[in-house]
Amino acid sequence: MSLVLLPDLGDLWRLHPQLNAGTLVEALRFLEVREVLWGSGPDPDHPLRDALPAAGFGVQDLPWPDPAPAAAEHEQLVGFLNQYPQGRERLRAAGRAEAEFASLLTAPLTLPGVLAPGMEEAVARYH
């Protein structure tokens, strides 16, 4: 059994005519996938929530943890980092990586472009 991770852009699917729910359905058919493990969160209005079952794919929800503790820890970490010059520089660097990543996601996207090494590198810098 192999695992293929495909990008989920959430609401950004609506902005990219060359990378949308139909594109993902075509990619899954090409890969001869029958079932999708859903790890994109519980949003019932997600564009793929209806598209995948309508195209004949089984969708199995993965457990989704409560995000509240992680959000609280993030706020606490930012507070600590802001107390030190090195921490503030790290926050600025993270902001630059986030801005770079956002610019990539708002440019016209295609499935090959999203899966390209440059995008993967931007994701790694962002994270």
Side-chain angles (χ1 to χ4, degrees), residues 53-103:
F57 295 99
V59 178
Q60 180 182 345
D61 286 315
L62 294 175
W64 196 252
D66 178 13
E73 288 177 8
H74 177 261
E75 285 184 37
Q76 188 177 29
L77 175 63
V78 169
F80 290 144
L81 289 174
N82 272 317
Q83 295 177 20
Y84 303 98
Q86 300 94 337
R88 288 189 294 274
E89 177 50 39
R90 289 201 179 236
L91 288 172
R92 284 191 292 275
R96 289 189 298 270
E98 184 175 1
E100 174 196 5
F101 191 46
S103 71

Side-chain angles (χ1 to χ4, degrees), residues 38-58:
W38 185 268
S40 295
D43 179 8
D45 294 327
H46 191 291
L48 287 173
R49 274 298 199 187
D50 293 326
L52 292 175
F57 295 99

